[in-house]
Amino acid sequence: MRTYSFLTVLLWSCMFHAIHMMPSQKRTNKQSHSERVTGLSENDGKTLRRTKRGWMWNQFFLLEEYTGPDTQYVGKLHTDQDKGDGNLKYILTGDGAGSLFIIDENTGDIHAAKKLDREEKSLYVLRAKAIDRKTGRQVEPESEFIIKIHDINDNEPKFTKDMYTASIPEMSGVGTSVIQVTATDADDANYGNSAKVVYSILQGQPYFSVDPETGVIKTALPDMSRENREQYQVVIQAKDMGGQMGGLSGTTTVNITLTDVNDNPPRFPQSTYLFSSPESARPGTPLGRIKANDPDVGENAETEYSISNGDGSDMFDIVTDKDTQEGIITVKKHLDFENKMLYTLRVEATNTHPDPRFLQLGPFKDTALVKISVEDRDEPPVFSRPWYLIEVDEDAKEGSIIGQVVAQDPDATKNAVKYSVDRHTDLDRIFNIYSGNGSLFISKPLDREETPWHNITVIATEINNPKQSSQIPVFIRILDINDHAPEFDKYYETFVCENAKAGQLIQTVSAVDKDEPPQGHKFFFELVPEFAVHPNFSIVDNKDNTAGIMTRRNGYSRSKMSTYLLPVIIFDNDYPIQSSTGTLTIRVCACDSRGNMQSCNAEALLLPAGLSTGALVAILLCIIILLVLVVLFTALKRQRKKEPLIISKDDVRDNIVTYNDEGGGEEDTQAFDIGTLRNPEAREESKMRRDVIPETIFQIRRTAPLWENIDVKDFIHRRLKENDSDPAAPPYDSLATYAYEGNDSIANSLSSLESLTTECNQDYDYLSDWGPRFKKLADMYGGEDSDRD
C-alpha cells in the first residue's frame, strides 16, 4: 500500500532548561495558548519555568520494493518555531539517514532514496533536529521517530529441505504417518495472508496424501506390498496467500521406501531333489545345495534347514549357508555301497523370525524330498588305526620283530594288500617290514642316545591295483637301557696347598650319564681298589651325586712331588651297573694364609726370594735378546758357507712329485711293507740331502729299539720330534712324511669268484651297512622281497 498523505500531530512539550545564565531570563513560545509554570525554589533560589514546543510529524509508513520513477515520499517534519522565513534548518540522523532517507533541510520533507526490503529490515529509528541558522542553537530538543516498512507478497514459501527421505513398513494401514514436511515464508505473517502457507500433493496419488495445514504425509492405500513396489516419489507443493489465486508457491520431493516385513513364507521351487555320493566320501563332504525361495529380505528371509525324517537322517546332515540362505547337504557317516545304495530324506525349511501379525496367512515353512544314491568306488586299503606307537629296547637284536600294522581292502572284492616302508622317512634303513603281514623288524642296531624317536611311514598297496594305496605314520620310541657308564661332568683343575691340613676339602666332583633311568640318576664314588687307602687323599661320597676330595695329611712339598694322580671309580645304580674310572690330577701349589693359590710351578722355588716381578721380567728380556742375536749370527754364518747344488730353474725344492698310488692296505704286501713303519730298524742307516752341499756327514742317531706292536701314531710323533731336534738338519724347509695306511678293511674281499662254489644263496644284507658308496650295489643284491616290491 502506498501512502501519500499523513496525519499531522501537534505535540507540545515542556522542558526545564537549566542552561540559562540569568535567573530572570525566560523562554516563552509564540503561540497564544502558552502557559506559564513556576517551579519550587531550590537552595539556589532559582525559578524554573516550562515552555511548550511544537514538533509536527506522523507515524511514518513506507511500502517495500517501490519501483516508481521518482523517489518515494516518506513524510514531513515541522516545528511551530518555523515561521517559514528560512531561519531554521532540519537535520536527520539515525538508521539510513543520508543514504536511505534524505531530508530537505529547509522544508523538512523526507524521501526514500532507494528501494527497501522489509525482509532485510522492517523498521528504521531516526532522530530529528531543528537548528537556528543564525545562532546554531536547537530551537527544539532532538526527538526520535520510527519509519515502518509495510510488507507485500514478494517471497514464495521455501521448504527446509530440497529433498526428503522417509521409510514406512509395508502392509501399513491407511492414514499411517510417513513424514512431515515444513515450508516457511519470509513475508510478514502479521500483515495479510502473504505468509499463510497451504500444502498439497502434486505427485504420489493415490498412494499417499498430505495434511494441508501441518504438511504431514500419510498413506492413502491399504496393504501396499514391498514385493510389488518398493520405491515411491512424492512431490509436495506449499502455496502462500492461503492457497488463493495469485499466491506464490514452492515444491519439494519426498522419496519414500517401503521396508520389508516377514509376510511371505519360504517355498521350495521343486518337490524332489536328486543327488549322488561316492562311497569313499568322508564325513563332512558336501553333496549339493537346495534353496527355498523367500521374497522377503534381511532377517525376514533367514531360513533354517533341517532333516525331519527319512531312512538317511543318521547318515546325512544339512547346514544353512548364512550368506546365500541355502541348505548344504553333507555326509555325516561313512557310506558303504555294498550295504545300502539309496537313501531318502525329507528336508524342511523354516523362517527363523516369523511375524505374529501374518501367522494367519499360513505356516511359514515348506518341505521337499531329497534322494541320495551311493556310487561304488575302488577304495584304497584302510588301516586298523589312524597311527601306531611302538616301543622297543635299544639293545634289541637285528632282525627282531618290534610290531605289526594291519590294513585291508574295504571293497567287496577284498583284494590282497602288501606293505612297504617309505624310505624317505627311513633314509638309514634301520627298519624293514614283511610285505605279506605288515610285521616291522630291525635291520640295524639302535642307539637311544643318538636318536630316541623314529617316525616312519608305512604304505599299504593293493596287489591287483597298485594305484590304490594308503599310508600311516608309525612312531617308534627307543627305550633306554643302561649301556653307558657315568663319568666326570667336566675336567677338574684341582690343587692342594703346601700348607694344607689333614681333612681339608680341596675339590667337589660330580658326574653325568648319557642314560636316562626312570627313577633318575644315582651315582656312587670311591677310589680304585689299588688306592683304597691312599696315604695323601681320600674321597667322601656326599650321597647327592657329588663327592668331596679330602686331604689325609698335613703339608705337601712341591720339591718332592708336584703332581698327584688320583683315580676315582664312578658307579650308577641302574641294571646292569655301569662304572668308569676318572683320574684327577692334583697339583701342589703355594698358597697364602687364606688358602688362595699363588704359584704351582716348581721352577719358582729356584728363584731368589728377594727379586721382584719387575726384575725377573728384565732378566728374561735380556736372555731372550741374547738368544735371538746368537741365532741370527749362526744363521748368517751358515748361509755364507752353504751353497745350493742346483742353481737353476729346475730347483727340486720348487717341484712336487706326486704319487697317487694308494696301495692295497696292510694285507697287500706287494704294494707296501707295513713292517717298515713298525720296525724303525729298517730305516736306511744314512741318507744325505741332495739340495745342499753337506759340510760334514752326520751319522744318524740310532734310537732305542721299539717293540713290535708299538702304536703307529706314537711312532710318527716320536720321529717328528727327533727330526725337529736333529742338529744335522739343514735350514731349508723340508717335509718329513710318515704315512700309515691303517688296519685291514672290514669289507674283506669283494671278489665273487668264490660264490660259485657255495650251494646256498649268498646273503648281501651287509652291503647296506657300508654307506652311500655301496647303495647302488645294496639295492641290487640286498634287502627282502618287500623292499624290491
Side-chain angles (χ1 to χ4, degrees):
M1 172 181 281
R2 179 180 296 178
T3 305
Y4 294 100
S5 60
F6 301 91
L7 298 177
T8 303
V9 178
L10 182 63
L11 296 177
W12 297 92
S13 303
C14 295
M15 191 173 195
F16 294 101
H17 298 276
I19 62 173
H20 302 286
M21 300 298 297
M22 299 300 295
S24 60
Q25 186 178 1
K26 58 183 178 180
R27 296 185 60 197
T28 59
N29 58 2
K30 298 180 180 181
Q31 300 298 329
S32 60
H33 52 272
S34 62
E35 63 181 3
R36 180 177 180 179
V37 179
T38 302
L40 297 176
S41 296
E42 299 291 337
N43 294 333
D44 54 2
K46 294 180 180 180
T47 302
L48 300 178
R49 294 181 176 83
R50 182 180 63 187
T51 59
K52 281 189 176 183
R53 61 176 182 142
W55 275 111
M56 292 174 48
W57 62 66
N58 290 335
Q59 173 86 27
F60 298 134
F61 295 93
L62 189 63
L63 283 177
E64 66 172 334
E65 305 293 342
Y66 173 72
T67 58
D70 299 329
T71 58
Q72 187 176 184
Y73 181 74
V74 178
K76 184 180 182 65
L77 292 178
H78 183 72
T79 177
D80 57 356
Q81 299 293 331
D82 188 359
K83 301 300 184 179
D85 53 4
N87 291 331
L88 296 181
K89 180 174 69 173
Y90 295 96
I91 297 176
L92 188 65
T93 60
D95 295 339
S99 58
L100 295 179
F101 302 102
I102 301 174
I103 188 171
D104 189 333
E105 63 180 12
N106 295 322
T107 63
D109 292 329
I110 302 173
H111 292 80
K114 298 180 181 179
K115 181 173 65 175
L116 302 177
D117 188 356
R118 189 200 67 83
E119 284 70 38
E120 292 183 2
K121 193 173 181 64
S122 60
L123 58 88
Y124 296 85
V125 179
L126 296 98
R127 295 177 181 83
K129 296 180 183 179
I131 300 176
D132 191 332
R133 291 179 183 270
K134 294 179 180 181
T135 63
R137 297 177 58 187
Q138 295 185 21
V139 298
E140 291 291 346
E142 183 180 75
S143 183
E144 185 180 274
F145 63 94
I146 298 174
I147 298 177
K148 298 187 66 176
I149 309 302
H150 274 182
D151 181 50
I152 63 173
N153 190 18
D154 59 343
N155 291 280
E156 71 276 4
K158 292 183 179 180
F159 285 93
T160 57
K161 295 181 180 179
D162 294 334
M163 181 176 292
Y164 291 83
T165 301
S167 62
I168 186 174
E170 63 173 332
M171 309 300 290
S172 298
V174 177
T176 303
S177 297
V178 180
I179 192 175
Q180 183 179 16
V181 296
T182 304
T184 58
D185 196 319
D187 293 325
D188 191 358
N190 299 322
Y191 184 77
N193 293 328
S194 298
K196 186 176 182 181
V197 178
V198 174
Y199 300 95
S200 61
I201 185 168
L202 300 182
Q203 177 183 326
Q205 296 173 331
Y207 306 103
F208 300 95
S209 63
V210 63
D211 190 299
E213 295 183 358
T214 62
V216 176
I217 300 175
K218 302 179 180 179
T219 56
L221 286 181
D223 301 333
M224 287 190 294
S225 176
R226 185 200 63 83
E227 290 73 28
N228 295 333
R229 182 176 177 182
E230 185 177 3
Q231 298 287 339
Y232 294 87
Q233 191 175 70
V234 179
V235 178
I236 303 297
Q237 181 189 64
K239 190 173 184 181
D240 60 10
M241 298 298 293
Q244 299 177 3
M245 294 293 293
L248 303 178
S249 63
T251 60
T252 187
T253 301
V254 182
N255 292 324
I256 301 175
T257 303
L258 295 183
T259 58
D260 186 61
V261 297
N262 193 6
D263 58 340
N264 294 281
R267 289 289 181 265
F268 284 105
Q270 59 192 70
S271 59
T272 304
Y273 294 86
L274 299 178
F275 297 100
S276 62
S277 172
E279 64 172 338
S280 59
R282 296 183 177 182
T285 303
L287 302 181
R289 293 170 176 254
I290 60 175
K291 184 177 182 179
N293 298 325
D294 191 334
D296 295 324
V297 295
E299 68 174 15
N300 297 321
E302 292 181 2
T303 305
E304 189 72 28
Y305 297 89
S306 61
I307 298 176
S308 59
N309 54 43
D311 55 1
S313 58
D314 59 337
M315 301 297 297
F316 301 93
D317 197 3
I318 186 168
V319 295
T320 303
D321 188 335
K322 298 299 181 182
D323 297 329
T324 62
Q325 299 301 317
E326 293 177 315
I328 305 174
I329 299 176
T330 60
V331 178
K332 188 175 182 181
K333 295 181 179 180
H334 286 287
L335 303 176
D336 189 358
F337 174 82
E338 290 73 20
N339 185 25
K340 190 174 180 61
M341 295 180 292
L342 181 64
Y343 294 90
T344 302
L345 309 175
R346 184 169 296 277
V347 177
E348 183 178 90
T350 308
N351 272 152
T352 57
H353 300 88
D355 194 331
R357 297 175 298 173
F358 306 102
L359 292 179
Q360 70 276 5
L361 300 179
F364 279 74
K365 60 182 179 181
D366 195 14
T367 58
L369 201 64
V370 178
K371 295 184 178 181
I372 302 174
S373 60
V374 181
E375 299 176 354
D376 189 20
R377 288 289 187 270
D378 186 6
E379 300 176 82
V382 178
F383 284 91
S384 60
R385 301 179 187 176
W387 49 270
Y388 289 86
L389 174 63
I390 299 175
E391 295 182 344
V392 57
D393 293 331
E394 64 176 322
D395 62 345
K397 302 299 181 181
E398 297 180 23
S400 301
I401 295 177
I402 61 175
Q404 184 182 19
V405 297
V406 178
Q408 61 180 1
D409 184 12
D411 298 323
T413 56
K414 300 297 180 183
N415 292 326
V417 177
K418 65 177 181 178
Y419 304 89
S420 62
V421 176
D422 185 357
R423 290 306 175 189
H424 293 89
T425 61
D426 185 24
L427 297 177
D428 297 331
R429 294 179 174 267
I430 299 176
F431 303 96
N432 212 328
I433 192 171
Y434 290 107
S435 61
N437 58 9
S439 297
L440 285 164
F441 61 91
I442 303 173
S443 298
K444 291 183 180 181
L446 304 175
D447 188 356
R448 187 204 65 84
E449 286 71 31
E450 180 180 352
T451 307
W453 283 90
H454 294 271
N455 301 328
I456 65 174
T457 299
V458 175
I459 302 173
T461 307
E462 291 185 13
I463 296 179
N464 295 336
N465 186 7
K467 293 183 179 180
Q468 293 294 336
S469 64
S470 58
Q471 57 186 18
I472 200 73
V474 178
F475 307 105
I476 302 175
R477 180 185 180 185
I478 310 303
L479 300 179
D480 184 38
I481 63 171
N482 193 24
D483 58 345
H484 289 84
E487 57 188 12
F488 285 127
D489 62 340
K490 63 179 181 179
Y491 175 75
Y492 291 97
E493 295 182 356
T494 307
F495 71 94
V496 61
C497 296
E498 288 184 307
N499 56 356
K501 303 297 182 181
Q504 182 176 337
L505 176 66
I506 62 174
Q507 182 69 62
T508 300
V509 296
S510 60
V512 294
D513 194 338
K514 294 181 180 179
D515 297 320
E516 292 183 0
Q519 291 78 20
H521 291 292
K522 182 63 177 178
F523 302 126
F524 304 95
F525 302 86
E526 63 181 36
L527 296 178
V528 296
E530 292 80 1
F531 296 89
V533 182
H534 198 280
N536 298 305
F537 305 98
S538 63
I539 187 169
V540 177
D541 195 334
N542 297 326
K543 307 302 181 181
D544 59 353
N545 294 339
T546 64
I549 308 300
M550 313 293 291
T551 59
R552 294 195 63 186
R553 63 186 179 87
N554 297 328
Y556 296 83
S557 175
R558 283 183 290 169
S559 60
K560 295 181 179 180
M561 180 70 72
S562 62
T563 303
Y564 293 91
L565 299 179
L566 185 65
V568 179
I569 302 178
I570 310 173
F571 300 89
D572 60 16
N573 67 332
D574 204 356
Y575 180 81
I577 294 177
Q578 299 287 345
S579 65
S580 67
T581 301
T583 301
L584 288 176
T585 301
I586 304 174
R587 295 185 299 164
V588 181
C589 301
C591 303
D592 57 13
S593 59
R594 297 183 179 179
N596 299 321
M597 181 180 65
Q598 291 182 336
S599 175
C600 295
N601 297 325
E603 293 79 3
L605 298 174
L606 303 177
L607 296 176
L611 292 178
S612 63
T613 304
L616 294 176
V617 173
I619 294 173
L620 290 176
L621 288 176
C622 293
I623 295 174
I624 293 173
I625 293 173
L626 290 175
L627 291 176
V628 171
L629 292 176
V630 171
V631 172
L632 291 176
F633 179 77
T634 305
L636 291 175
K637 185 177 180 180
R638 288 190 178 186
Q639 187 174 4
R640 292 192 191 100
K641 292 181 179 181
K642 295 182 181 180
E643 297 293 337
L645 293 175
I646 303 175
I647 308 176
S648 66
K649 296 183 180 179
D650 298 328
D651 192 344
V652 296
R653 290 171 295 167
D654 295 338
N655 299 329
I656 299 175
V657 180
T658 304
Y659 300 95
N660 292 327
D661 186 7
E662 184 176 1
E666 300 153 355
E667 302 301 324
D668 190 355
T669 59
Q670 300 298 325
F672 183 77
D673 186 8
I674 192 63
T676 303
L677 285 178
R678 296 193 177 273
N679 185 10
E681 302 294 337
R683 294 193 308 168
E684 296 182 5
E685 293 297 325
S686 176
K687 286 188 178 180
M688 298 173 57
R689 297 177 62 91
R690 296 180 300 171
D691 56 345
V692 297
I693 300 175
E695 293 180 352
T696 306
I697 299 177
F698 294 92
Q699 295 295 329
I700 298 178
R701 295 184 295 106
R702 184 176 301 276
T703 59
L706 302 177
W707 51 89
E708 186 64 26
N709 59 347
I710 189 174
D711 182 48
V712 176
K713 179 178 178 182
D714 184 46
F715 165 74
I716 293 175
H717 280 293
R718 292 188 183 185
R719 290 297 173 262
L720 289 176
K721 186 175 181 181
E722 291 176 1
N723 186 77
D724 291 339
S725 60
D726 188 359
Y732 295 95
D733 293 338
S734 60
L735 179 64
T737 303
Y738 298 92
Y740 174 51
E741 182 67 17
N743 297 326
D744 56 339
S745 173
I746 62 173
N748 296 323
S749 176
L750 298 180
S751 174
S752 60
L753 298 177
E754 297 178 357
S755 61
L756 297 176
T757 62
T758 59
E759 297 178 359
C760 59
N761 293 331
Q762 182 68 27
D763 186 8
Y764 296 99
D765 289 344
Y766 59 87
L767 295 177
S768 301
D769 302 332
W770 289 1
R773 291 187 177 183
F774 299 91
K775 182 178 185 305
K776 187 65 177 180
L777 194 61
D779 293 339
M780 296 174 60
Y781 291 94
E784 295 291 336
D785 294 339
S786 61
D787 293 334
R788 290 195 295 272
D789 292 338

